[in-house]
Amino acid sequence: ERRALLLGVRAPRCDKSLQLSRSYHPHYDDILLKAKQARDYFILQGPPGTGKTSMALRFLVEEELSTINSKLSTLIMSYTNRAVDEICAMLTDAGIDYLRLGSETSCDPRFADHLLDRAIGEHPRLDKIRQMMMDTKVVVSTTSTMLSRPYLFQLKHFSLCIVDEAS
């Protein structure tokens, strides 16, 4: 089934019964609704500076967090640390709590307090790390950092994955 989807033999599924929990912005509501209804994947493409990260990504995260199910969580990834820092800035400005994976040397100092290493302290315990991952609703990382930590997918299931700057 996955092969058929990826090769274009099967069309991506869509659940038209899903609706937005609220209106976010008149220019983005149609896009957000289509993204929410997408069951397999959704691609948002557009020129730089059109609000894909600062608006659409933010609203998608807010919509996912508005869901009553407390087990839902979002993984946001991008290719570069600079792009991840931009995502962290957007989340911070929106008042959305998150956990950033990566090292202090590759993270903008403004977001270092959100790093997993900082959050667990000097004496990390596996049960504390596991609980922190389970309690966190939004995790932000570079794609390479997530690929180097596949065990995280055994600790946590993400209901939504957003890959920013996916090209």
Side-chain angles (χ1 to χ4, degrees):
E1 184 181 337
R2 183 178 291 175
R3 182 181 300 132
L5 172 68
L6 296 175
L7 293 175
V9 175
R10 175 178 74 76
R13 291 174 296 181
C14 177
D15 184 350
K16 298 282 187 182
S17 69
L18 298 174
Q19 297 297 315
L20 294 176
S21 62
R22 67 180 176 92
S23 176
Y24 290 90
H25 190 283
H27 294 109
Y28 290 94
D29 284 348
D30 289 342
I31 293 168
L32 299 171
L33 180 60
K34 288 178 183 178
K36 182 173 182 166
Q37 292 175 342
R39 298 293 81 198
D40 294 310
Y41 63 85
F42 182 80
I43 298 173
L44 176 59
Q45 180 182 9
T50 56
K52 294 180 301 297
T53 300
S54 64
M55 303 282 278
L57 190 148
R58 172 187 171 178
F59 297 148
L60 284 170
V61 172
E62 288 178 0
E63 180 66 20
E64 187 73 6
L65 293 176
S66 73
T67 306
I68 296 170
N69 186 345
S70 63
K71 294 182 180 183
L72 297 181
S73 58
T74 302
L75 171 63
I76 307 172
M77 297 184 296
S78 195
Y79 186 69
T80 66
N81 282 298
R82 174 66 191 102
V84 170
D85 285 339
E86 184 178 332
I87 292 166
C88 290
M90 175 275 299
L91 293 170
T92 300
D93 291 346
I96 299 171
D97 192 30
Y98 61 93
L99 188 62
R100 187 181 197 278
L101 304 181
S103 70
E104 207 163 325
T105 58
S106 59
C107 176
D108 187 305
R110 295 176 295 161
F111 314 118
D113 288 344
H114 291 273
L115 285 167
L116 177 61
D117 292 346
R118 283 260 185 108
I120 59 174
E122 291 183 26
H123 305 288
R125 292 186 7 219
L126 186 56
D127 61 330
K128 184 177 179 183
I129 295 170
R130 179 174 290 141
Q131 192 60 48
M132 183 171 290
M133 286 299 294
M134 295 307 294
D135 293 344
T136 300
K137 298 290 183 195
V138 179
V139 176
V140 185
S141 175
T142 61
T143 52
S144 62
T145 297
M146 280 307 293
L147 287 173
S148 69
R149 293 170 174 83
Y151 57 87
L152 291 176
F153 291 109
Q154 294 172 347
L155 288 175
K156 186 166 187 76
H157 172 77
F158 296 97
S159 56
L160 175 66
C161 176
I162 299 172
V163 182
D164 193 39
E165 303 291 339
S167 62

